């Protein structure tokens, strides 16, 4: 599949502060990409750049194979973005949905399209089409905002926290609506969300942003805090229950480490002592099936930190893992990757 | 004090007896003000959007100049326009002096800064997310400008009402450019000035009340439109 | 604080600059400051009726007499005069140059030549209407060639200039107009010197019986001064472009 | 503990539409109450009434034992609400935090208080105190809004979706901040959230709203759709994989049923046929430890519906439950509760 | 045409030579307008808030009336005030005619509807959540009103600028109530009217330019304040 977006050496700054610093970033046409990362890491900024709402301070943006210097509305008619906490236009729900069609001159069959789009997000058209923008609850408004993007059948659908105030039933409905866009219309999806369980069901690939930098890693197991130097090149992080995580390498200023859930092994017993090997005691709090893989994401509470590990169904069965079980987590000090 | 009472009775009298001089002045006022406000809004609202929306070098200075032009006295506008359209001026050939279009040009200059400044304020005061939202829905720059103005429609309407009120209540331009010529360019306000100069104070008040009745009628219409939007 | 006298006067006395000469001379002679508001004659009389000024300097003899008869004013004294003239474009389309006033108006009428009237009930306008009446011409209001400006004298002259029309003006304002055009005015005097064209200015004190708060004593002082030889000399000496604008005539009474 | 809020026969309407209809509702002083329910069910409306921002169309509101007819700002100084998608004031972050203190005349030590409040929500005061309101990401703004409530040490803290755009690490920090308000300052908490996992960690009691009506039931297992009448008083709901859920009773117009997770039993085999007993085959997708109880909430995907059941650690061990396992869910047709 | 150029040269001349008549008019204008705008803002902004914020029966009618009053011609305001403060009027004893406070009263009446109407529009246009947010933070009604106005500060400032410009550029009230008395109540605008009446057009333009310079100075100050808020 070809790239629909490619970013090269993109840097974006607000009043001199660099909030985005991306060397390479591609989105394939038709794929569904999750963009994760903590607050303030630059997710919304990146989406605004992809939606051609903002020009990066530096760097090149390619869309559909061509470099885009002066984005025109022709670009914005293919790429639509649902802003974080998107406001509605001060019009009726129906008119909100029609606006995007009208600016494109696609005024045929609007009634019908409005009905379909509202139903896709789980709102009853009879009840909601005529409502004014302020006569909606938070989640209803959020869903109207999504519907007014879906109605456009866009080539690229960028969603910034689409489910942030939506109930779980409706989130499921929205998941289906979004997947319909992908599967039936071939829309490319880039979705930002903090609801990891939800977004894993929608997307195939996930990237994370930390401090404006892209990391090919799901932001599980972010270990930040006061890393104290120990002997050798080891650093130690004290947990609330007195246990210690050891990391090898160079924390530098950020002092935030990432630990891939794949690198964490769950054992029933404590292994022999080894300063470069972590062995943390904790209690399993949740186990989630990962879509399509048969693997299970197990979250274990260690002190005040929750550490995720990815286990196969087989080893899960062997160990009789279940929530509430006391286990030991093993991982190498060198498994920690430091953020710059 | 009596003037006021007499004035109000006089106003009712003028309207009921269909006093031809009064109706001529009302009609002239309506023609001039419609002409001037139409062009003012057509140019002023887009300019106000540009000034309010875009950032460019010198914007702050430009904004200050527009705000300064709000303080243009009508007599000065009258003098400036007169200089251009008097027979000896560069556009003397057009024969605009002492005509309704001539006055409308002056009123246009008077009202333009009001519309530009207040529209720009309305746009500046808007949540920037609204404009982004409109753009994400695929609007071209022009469509986005129109939709933004519609989002701020109450403030834009307030700008229009303020400008229209300024235009129908002004007297300096109508006097200087229109010449207050009876049956031709005499407006309600120039008639008021004339009556007041004559010492006919209650007649001045009566005509003032007529003007307000006219404005009230216009505003009531607007208020119904506003309710529907 | 020094005492001051509040006067309402017509625009012609102010616009020509006469008051800018009279006021300091009066203050020097009596120590009284003269403050004035320059308005139309009708408005000046109305201000007097409402006791808002102490003294009037106006030029509409019939209205002044009525004002005194109705008890609004006392001690009316004629002070000075100038005269009215008919001015028009040098081409003189109605051929009125040198005629007496009445014949001139009749010719304007028969040629339907453009005539610009002040139409504001001012002293000049009152005079003009009286002249038309004496010429036996009525029903001017809606005539196409008869324009009513409802404005001050100078503005009316300017409108006549723009339109190449005739108008009736007081000589003082015309001289001012000449001065504005640096001595080569687009309109020129065509009719002058007729007895009917006299323009008399008078002062009237506002009646202290009706208006207890007016400064009647100061008003009397002003009347005394302006009708005195000293005051009359100031008027007689007032020149614009070397021309005398007003002829003092208080002594003639 | 005494009631801090009591509502009696409260009805609230918007343009004639009843959106809230509550016969009895109490909040005890010092408790932490979760308010759940789908979009549009009236949660935000109820919070606005509790915050004295809106007067109910009908009914009585008691606060601190006294009926409140004309709420004054004295009431609003004890009760503070974090609105859903709360805007910030157009001032700096610091000034946003100080505003509430200033209106109360508590101007001593503000710098110090601002610092503490920002740290409570996981924002670095040095980095953020001087920022303007628009120089924040969505989640940062949300946390500033919470901080400007926490700084007031309010007697009652009402929170409407406090974590809606907050990353999971920060959500944890916020949980601690909120619990500190409860435990150290004795604040009463009423919290609305769609993030059930998060809210269960903060609150002790949960109520749900459906269509404006209060239900003493956690909104897990909301079964809505096209219920078709069968023989007797049974109704059937078809799932996407052809299986059928049977419900007894009278669905009426709403045709939405609730199923308490406690009433669902997980079995390894299919039981004998019985039309009044449901036996649905599905796959376990997640298992979560419920705080303080030792019980586990197991979510099973049945067709396109996820059904939760609450199991003890013991039966979980016996059955060797784990994500990915195929199981049968048993529950009586009469276990379904119909919403009015 | 010439007089425009002459006018500008004249303006510089007047300012540089410190022409005493001009400086007296500037000073009078400043005194009157400061007095009138102060009271207008003190009363108008709170009234505008009330009108914009609260719903009550008759609100729409009241709003329409306020908007209508925007069209009050200055001469009519002059006449109305005159009727009250003339010696024979009910407040004649106060001796306000031909004084600076007298003119300021008239200008207050002129500017009040502008401030009320534009402030009300600003408040109406605001997201209702902002007011709720302020209240959730514990503000009393008065504190919430002040904070809301601060949230809408750009629009409120625009109202103030519009009103102030109206006040310094008006001539009808200053003429009628002030009387254009040299050294006392002669403002820049009445001086312009006088010079124009005399046919001294370039002097009229010169004074107009002086007024605009004055307004530009004021607006530049405001623009710096705005930047800091
Ligand atoms: N207009 C602005 N001016 C200055 N700084 C800004 C502006 N908008 C965002 N920032 C800063 O840029 C950084 C990235 O912001 P962005 O909104 O992209 O974060 P995000 O990843 O979307 O976070 P969240 O999960 O909270 O929405 C943050 O540090 C934020 O404070
Ligand atoms: N101003 C309003 N005018 C009319 N109807 C309104 C208004 N505000 C809310 N509603 C309606 O009232 C009902 C309850 O709204 P409310 O905001 O309380 O829901 P909610 O439970 O908070 O939902 P959400 O989870 O989406 O925030 C909804 O049906 C909504 O559409
Ligand atoms: Mg964001
Ligand atoms: Mg809500």
């Amino acid at each position: 599949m070809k790239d629909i977006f490619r970013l090269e050496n993109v840097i974006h700054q607000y009043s001199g502060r660099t909030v985005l610093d991306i060397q390479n970033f591609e989105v394939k046409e038709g794929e569904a990409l999750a963009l994760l990362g903590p607050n303030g890491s630059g997710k919304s900024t990146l989406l605004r750049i992809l939606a051609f709402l903002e020009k990066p301070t530096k760097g090149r943006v390619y869309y559909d194979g061509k470099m885009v210097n002066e984005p025109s509305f022709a670009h914005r008619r293919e790429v639509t973005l649902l802003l974080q906490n998107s406001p509605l236009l001060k019009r009726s729900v129906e008119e909100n949905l029609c606006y995007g069609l009208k600016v494109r001159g696609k005024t045929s069959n609007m009634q019908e399209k409005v009905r379909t789009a509202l139903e896709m997000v789980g709102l009853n058209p009879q009840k909601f089409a005529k409502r004014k923008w302020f006569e909606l609850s938070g989640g209803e408004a959020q869903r109207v905002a999504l519907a007014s993007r879906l109605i456009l059948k866009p080539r690229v659908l960028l969603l910034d926290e689409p489910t942030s105030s939506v109930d779980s039933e409706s989130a499921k409905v929205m998941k289906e609506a979004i997947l319909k866009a992908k599967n039936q219309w071939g829309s490319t999806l880039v979705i930002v969300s903090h609801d990891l369980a939800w977004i894993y069901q929608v997307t195939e690939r996930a990237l994370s942003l930390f401090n404006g930098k892209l990391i090919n890693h799901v932001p599980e197991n972010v270990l930040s805090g006061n890393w104290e130097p120990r002997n050798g090149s080891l650093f130690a992080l004290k947990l609330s229950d007195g246990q210690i995580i050891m990391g090898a390498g160079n924390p530098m200023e950020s002092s935030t480490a990432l630990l891939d859930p794949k690198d964490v092994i769950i054992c029933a017993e404590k292994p022999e002592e080894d300063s470069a090997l972590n062995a943390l005691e904790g209690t399993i709090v949740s186990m989630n099936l990962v879509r399509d893989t048969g693997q299970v994401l197990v979250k274990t509470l260690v002190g005040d930190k929750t550490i995720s590990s990815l286990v196969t169904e087989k080893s899960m069965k062997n160990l009789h893992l279940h929530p509430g079980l006391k286990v030991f987590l093993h991982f190498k000090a060198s498994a920690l990757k430091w953020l710059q | 004090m009596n003037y006021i009472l007499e004035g109000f009775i006089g106003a009712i009298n003028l309207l009921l007896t269909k006093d031809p001089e009064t109706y001529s002045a009302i009609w002239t006022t309506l023609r001039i003000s419609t002409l001037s406000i139409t062009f003012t809004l057509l140019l002023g609202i887009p300019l106000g959007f540009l000034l309010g929306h875009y950032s460019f070098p010198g914007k702050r200075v430009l904004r200050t100049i527009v705000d300064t032009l709000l303080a243009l006295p009508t007599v000065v506008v009258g003098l400036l326009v007169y200089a251009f359209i008097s027979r000896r001026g560069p556009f003397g050939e057009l024969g605009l002096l002492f005509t309704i279009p001539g006055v409308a040009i002056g009123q246009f200059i008077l009202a333009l800064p009001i519309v530009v400044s207040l529209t720009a304020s309305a746009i500046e005061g808007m949540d920037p997310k609204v404009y982004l939202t409109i753009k994400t829905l695929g609007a071209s720059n022009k469509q986005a400008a129109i939709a933004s103005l519609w989002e701020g429609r109450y403030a834009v309407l307030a700008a229009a009402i303020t400008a229209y009120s300024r235009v129908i209540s002004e007297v300096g331009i109508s006097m200087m450019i229109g010449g207050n010529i009876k049956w031709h360019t005499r407006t309600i306000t120039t008639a008021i000035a004339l009556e007041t100069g004559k010492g006919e104070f209650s007649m001045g008040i009566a005509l003032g009340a007529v003007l307000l009745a006219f404005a009230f009628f216009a505003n009531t219409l607007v208020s119904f439109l506003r309710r529907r939007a | 604080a020094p005492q001051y006298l509040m006067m309402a006067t017509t625009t012609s006395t102010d616009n020509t600059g006469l008051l800018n000469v009279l006021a300091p001379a009066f203050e020097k002679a009596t120590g009284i400051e003269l403050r004035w508001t320059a308005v139309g004659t009708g408005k000046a009389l109305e201000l007097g009726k409402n006791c808002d000024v102490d003294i009037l300097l106006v030029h509409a003899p019939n209205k002044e007499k009525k004002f005194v008869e109705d008890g609004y004013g006392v001690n009316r004294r004629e002070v000075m005069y100038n005269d009215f003239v008919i001015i028009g474009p040098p081409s003189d389309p109605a051929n009125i140059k040198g005629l007496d006033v009445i014949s001139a108006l009749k010719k304007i009428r028969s040629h339907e030549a453009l005539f610009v009237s002040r139409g504001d009930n001012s002293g000049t306008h009152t005079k003009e209407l009286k002249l038309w009446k004496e010429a036996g011409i009525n029903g001017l209001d809606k005539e196409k060639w008869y324009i009513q400006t409802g404005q001050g004298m100078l503005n009316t002259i300017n409108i006549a200039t723009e339109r190449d029309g005739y108008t009736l003006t007081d000589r003082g304002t015309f001289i001012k107009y000449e001065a504005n055009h640096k001595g080569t005015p687009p309109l020129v005097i065509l009719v002058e010197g007729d007895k009917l064209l006299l323009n008399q200015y008078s002062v009237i004190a506002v009646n202290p019986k009706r208006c207890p708060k007016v400064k009647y004593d100061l008003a009397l002082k002003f009347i005394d001064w302006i009708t005195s030889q000293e005051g009359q000399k100031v008027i007689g000496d007032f020149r614009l472009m070397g021309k005398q604008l007003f002829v003092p005539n208080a002594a003639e009474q």
Side-chain angles (χ1 to χ4, degrees), chain A, chain B, chain C:
Chain A
M1 274 282 187
K2 71 169 176 185
D3 290 345
I4 189 145
F5 282 111
R6 203 167 81 246
L7 267 60
E8 285 176 5
N9 298 319
V10 162
I11 287 184
H12 198 68
Q13 300 184 318
Y14 287 117
S15 39
R17 194 155 18 103
T18 299
V19 302
L20 210 58
D21 179 359
I22 293 179
Q23 293 190 348
N24 265 295
F25 172 67
E26 287 116 24
V27 182
K28 303 247 171 280
E29 172 126 44
E31 79 166 325
L33 174 68
L35 211 54
L36 309 173
N39 292 143
S41 56
K43 305 180 296 296
S44 299
T45 308
L46 178 54
L47 285 191
R48 279 198 298 273
I49 289 172
L50 296 182
F52 304 112
L53 294 178
E54 222 158 326
K55 274 196 68 162
T57 314
K58 269 189 223 150
R60 289 177 299 282
V61 176
Y62 296 84
Y63 173 71
D64 204 9
K66 282 180 281 294
M67 185 156 124
V68 180
N69 266 324
E70 283 307 315
S72 75
F73 70 95
H75 290 108
R76 287 201 317 272
R77 288 207 174 154
E78 300 193 347
V79 180
T80 184
L81 163 63
L82 176 68
L83 290 168
Q84 191 169 13
N85 296 330
S86 179
L88 296 180
L89 302 179
K90 291 185 179 168
R91 312 171 177 216
S92 72
V93 166
E94 190 172 38
E95 286 167 324
N96 262 282
L97 266 71
C98 291
Y99 181 75
L101 294 174
K102 277 188 194 152
V103 297
R104 286 168 175 77
K106 296 188 182 167
T107 50
S108 66
N109 248 345
M110 287 209 295
Q111 292 281 1
E112 178 60 23
K113 287 178 184 164
V114 167
R115 224 175 45 71
T116 317
L118 283 177
E119 277 169 356
M120 276 177 87
V121 297
L123 293 174
N124 182 340
Q126 249 125 58
K127 262 181 163 169
F128 286 96
K130 300 291 173 194
R131 290 236 190 132
K132 290 271 172 65
W133 73 97
F134 57 85
E135 295 179 322
L136 298 171
S137 79
E140 287 162 358
Q142 178 79 358
R143 281 143 73 185
V144 169
L146 177 63
S148 53
R149 270 70 182 183
L150 289 174
I151 202 173
L152 305 172
K153 300 194 178 177
R155 187 163 170 203
V156 180
L157 187 57
L158 308 172
L159 302 174
D160 202 346
E161 313 246 11
T163 58
S164 70
S165 42
V166 168
D167 65 58
S168 53
E169 279 298 305
S170 308
K172 225 183 282 171
V173 173
M174 284 166 75
K175 177 189 82 185
E176 260 129 53
I178 293 167
L179 286 175
K180 182 177 171 183
K182 176 171 147 48
N183 297 329
Q184 291 195 10
W185 314 332
S187 302
T188 306
L189 304 176
V190 183
I191 309 180
V192 166
S193 180
H194 292 297
D195 185 348
L196 300 180
W198 183 84
I199 201 166
Y200 287 152
Q201 295 172 32
V202 184
T203 57
E204 303 144 346
R205 185 164 77 103
L207 289 175
S208 298
L209 274 167
F210 280 93
N211 290 325
K213 296 216 169 80
L214 266 184
I215 285 165
N216 203 338
H217 184 296
V218 166
E220 305 272 358
N221 304 338
V222 179
L223 301 169
S224 55
N226 191 18
W227 287 93
E228 285 164 9
R230 288 288 159 97
N231 53 326
S233 63
L234 291 180
F235 288 79
L237 180 68
K238 220 176 201 155
L239 300 180
S240 67
D241 63 348
Q243 296 192 77
I244 283 168
I245 301 181
M246 299 297 266
N250 187 3
M252 293 199 300
E253 357 76 271
S254 93
S255 59
T256 297
L258 296 177
L259 176 59
D260 194 323
K262 286 192 206 104
D263 294 340
V264 182
I265 299 159
I266 300 187
C267 300
E269 287 123 59
K270 203 174 161 75
E272 59 221 66
E273 208 65 41
D274 172 358
S275 74
L277 186 69
N278 288 290
L280 303 170
E281 187 176 359
T283 309
I284 295 179
V285 288
S286 80
M287 297 165 65
N288 280 274
L289 199 63
V290 179
R291 194 171 66 115
D292 301 339
T293 62
Q295 288 188 308
V296 174
L297 193 72
V298 178
K299 295 199 176 178
T300 309
L301 191 67
V302 182
D304 55 353
K305 288 233 178 327
T306 308
I307 294 178
S308 305
S309 38
L310 207 56
V311 295
T312 59
E313 201 169 348
K314 203 170 144 202
S315 66
M316 182 174 54
K317 276 188 194 160
N318 289 344
L319 290 167
H320 296 306
L321 298 185
H322 61 84
L325 187 70
K326 281 223 155 60
V327 292
F328 287 90
L329 304 179
H330 296 192
F331 51 92
K332 294 202 188 122
S334 59
L336 293 186
K337 305 226 164 53
W338 301 97
L339 285 181
Q340 283 133 326
Chain B
M1 278 304 285
N2 289 348
Y3 303 126
I4 299 181
L5 195 63
E6 281 170 24
F8 278 100
I9 296 168
I12 293 165
N13 230 0
L14 289 174
L15 290 173
L16 290 187
T17 61
K18 305 218 163 115
D19 175 63
E21 291 191 23
T22 307
Y23 274 77
S24 159
I26 294 177
W27 178 232
T28 307
T29 303
L30 183 64
R31 282 172 66 195
I32 296 181
S33 60
T34 306
L35 202 59
S36 58
I37 198 71
T38 306
F39 286 96
T40 307
L41 295 180
L42 282 179
L43 192 68
I45 292 178
L47 284 182
F49 178 83
L50 294 176
L51 187 59
H53 182 73
Y54 290 100
S55 305
F56 48 86
K59 169 173 170 150
R60 238 154 59 89
V61 176
L62 190 60
R63 190 69 209 273
T64 306
I65 290 173
V66 171
D67 283 351
T68 300
L69 292 179
L70 287 175
L72 262 181
T74 51
V75 202
V76 175
V77 177
L79 282 173
L80 293 175
V81 174
Y82 179 84
F84 283 88
I85 67 173
S86 105
R87 275 226 311 234
R88 306 202 307 164
F91 303 113
E93 296 301 301
L94 300 176
L96 287 168
L97 196 62
F98 310 132
T99 65
I100 283 175
V103 180
I105 290 172
Q107 289 189 348
F108 167 80
I109 294 172
L110 179 72
L112 191 66
I114 299 179
V115 173
V116 173
S117 169
L118 291 179
T119 305
S121 280
I123 293 293
E124 278 176 355
M126 219 182 265
D127 184 353
K129 265 193 171 172
V130 172
Y131 188 79
L132 289 183
T133 299
I134 294 166
K135 287 219 139 181
T136 62
L137 292 169
S140 67
N141 284 349
K142 201 176 133 199
Q143 289 169 328
I146 293 169
S148 294
L149 289 164
W150 183 249
E151 289 298 297
R153 56 195 174 274
Y154 293 119
V156 175
L157 189 65
I161 291 176
T162 308
Y164 189 67
S165 304
R166 182 79 184 93
V167 149
I168 59 171
S169 66
E170 77 81 26
V171 57
I173 298 167
S174 302
M175 198 60 113
M176 183 88 199
I177 307 296
N180 185 27
I181 297 170
K182 200 168 169 185
W183 306 119
H184 293 281
T185 55
R186 181 161 299 169
T187 62
I188 309 183
T189 53
T190 59
I192 294 172
L194 173 60
E195 295 301 333
T196 309
K198 284 195 220 169
E200 301 279 359
F201 292 173
S202 43
M203 187 64 182
I205 297 214
L207 287 165
V210 167
L211 184 68
L212 287 187
F214 176 82
F216 185 76
F217 178 72
N219 276 302
T220 306
L221 276 182
V222 167
S223 148
F224 275 104
L225 288 178
R226 168 161 36 194
R227 204 187 204 178
R228 311 202 65 223
Chain C
Q3 291 177 298
Y4 70 89
L5 179 66
M6 188 69 214
M7 173 199 271
T9 180
T10 65
T11 40
S12 50
T13 51
D14 193 22
N15 285 357
T16 51
L18 174 64
L19 283 172
N20 285 330
V21 178
L22 273 184
F26 175 60
E27 184 162 2
K28 202 168 159 201
T30 62
I32 302 164
E33 187 193 351
L34 179 66
R35 294 185 185 177
W36 70 92
T37 182
V39 294
T41 301
K43 189 168 167 185
L45 294 172
E46 196 71 15
L47 288 175
K49 279 186 194 171
N50 289 336
C51 314
D52 289 324
V53 290
D54 306 317
I55 194 166
L56 306 175
L57 174 59
V58 288
H59 65 130
N62 291 338
K63 286 184 186 165
E64 290 161 25
K65 281 170 198 157
K66 180 147 191 312
F67 185 81
V68 173
E69 276 165 23
D70 291 345
Y72 295 123
V74 292
N75 289 29
R76 172 173 178 266
R77 291 289 300 278
E78 297 188 333
V79 175
M80 63 191 185
Y81 69 86
N82 63 1
D83 62 341
F84 291 109
V85 293
I86 293 182
I87 59 174
S91 59
D92 193 13
N95 261 324
I96 61 166
K97 192 171 168 81
L99 297 180
D100 65 289
V101 188
I102 301 298
S103 332
L105 290 182
K106 282 181 175 161
K107 274 201 124 168
I108 288 172
R109 153 89 237 223
S110 60
H111 279 79
E112 301 209 333
L114 195 73
F115 187 91
V116 182
S117 164
R118 282 183 65 173
D120 63 350
N121 274 10
S122 59
T124 312
H125 184 223
T126 315
K127 186 80 172 186
E128 181 211 312
L129 290 179
K130 202 168 140 202
L131 293 171
W132 285 114
K133 205 169 157 195
E134 276 176 32
I137 299 166
N138 311 310
L140 290 167
D141 189 36
K142 291 206 170 180
E143 291 286 357
K144 272 225 171 63
W145 55 271
Y146 185 79
I147 292 181
Q148 302 176 63
T149 66
Q151 295 199 56
M153 194 66 251
L154 225 132
N155 288 338
T156 303
I157 297 178
N158 280 329
I159 292 176
T161 310
E162 287 286 339
R163 287 291 186 87
D164 272 341
Y166 296 97
T167 191
L168 180 75
T169 170
D170 63 285
R171 190 181 290 274
T173 308
F174 178 74
I175 293 171
K176 176 75 192 157
Y177 169 72
E178 253 185 326
N180 288 344
H181 286 275
K182 309 196 166 78
T184 54
L187 298 185
V188 295
I189 295 179
L190 296 170
V191 175
E192 63 185 329
D194 194 314
K195 270 205 293 299
L196 284 173
L197 290 176
L198 220 63
N199 181 20
Q200 180 65 50
Y201 287 80
S202 314
V203 286
I204 311 171
V206 172
N207 190 348
K209 294 211 177 79
R210 282 192 73 254
C211 306
K213 286 226 166 157
V214 296
K215 298 172 184 148
Y216 182 58
D217 50 336
L218 301 190
L220 285 185
K221 278 192 185 152
F222 180 77
I223 294 174
D224 282 348
W225 178 80
I226 197 160
T227 54
S228 73
Q229 277 203 350
E230 192 189 344
Q232 293 277 296
K233 184 168 181 304
V234 175
I235 294 172
D237 288 347
F238 179 64
R239 293 276 190 290
L240 195 61
M241 299 198 52
K243 289 181 187 165
Q244 182 176 354
L245 270 75
F246 298 97
V247 183
N249 69 340
E252 287 171 20
Q253 289 175 337

